[in-house]
Amino acid sequence: MMKNSEGFTLLELVIVIFIVGVLSSVAKPYYIEYRTKAERQNAIADILSIADYLKDYRAVNSTYTGATPPVIDSNFYTATYTINANTFVIQQTPKQETTQKGDGVICYNHLGQKLWRLGNTSCNGLSKDSNW
């Protein structure tokens, strides 16, 4: 009489490892793209929050001068501001040591004009026709 053995054969384990490897190699690029888009959306949300603060400041003080926007603590973007009496531009630049590297700057100004283009390095091109 044959004895029932429990467990998996080496061939079954190799097949499972192969299938897991194929699935992970297909899924990883999609995950990275999803994460990049999610971090970009977080940066956009930060920009809109700061823009609201600046607009509220101007409504009370009739100028943007003297406004000190809240500090954005992001692991993926660095925020910079250009603030004058009647205008502002908020720029989020991807940090080079992160997965956002090369993703392009995100810009927003006092007129509500917004700009993001893959690989873009400045806010040049910010206009009523530009978009995120």
Side-chain angles (χ1 to χ4, degrees):
M1 183 177 256
M2 284 186 88
K3 195 174 183 184
N4 246 356
S5 67
E6 294 182 19
F8 300 103
T9 66
L10 182 59
L11 180 60
E12 290 170 328
L13 289 174
V14 168
I15 289 171
V16 168
I17 291 171
F18 174 77
I19 290 171
V20 168
V22 168
L23 289 175
S24 64
S25 68
V26 168
K28 187 176 179 180
Y30 290 106
Y31 172 74
I32 290 171
E33 180 182 348
Y34 167 79
R35 177 143 181 183
T36 301
K37 287 180 181 178
E39 291 302 335
R40 186 181 318 124
Q41 290 304 315
N42 286 341
I44 289 170
D46 289 341
I47 284 175
L48 294 176
S49 175
I50 291 168
D52 286 344
Y53 166 82
L54 291 171
K55 289 175 183 179
D56 289 346
Y57 184 91
R58 183 164 192 228
V60 171
N61 299 294
S62 302
T63 182
Y64 294 117
T65 303
T68 53
V71 175
I72 296 176
D73 185 25
S74 170
N75 293 328
F76 297 94
Y77 287 88
T78 301
T80 55
Y81 317 101
T82 305
I83 301 173
N84 299 314
N86 298 313
T87 65
F88 70 82
V89 176
I90 305 167
Q91 178 176 319
Q92 291 268 45
T93 305
K95 293 183 179 178
Q96 294 302 305
E97 63 278 359
T98 69
T99 54
Q100 299 301 112
K101 177 181 179 179
D103 191 48
V105 298
I106 305 167
C107 305
Y108 187 84
N109 70 10
H110 64 286
L111 298 173
Q113 298 170 338
K114 42 196 166 189
L115 174 68
W116 172 81
R117 283 193 206 107
L118 186 63
N120 202 25
T121 58
S122 73
C123 290
N124 293 342
L126 191 61
S127 71
K128 66 180 176 70
D129 298 322
S130 58
N131 208 340
W132 286 327

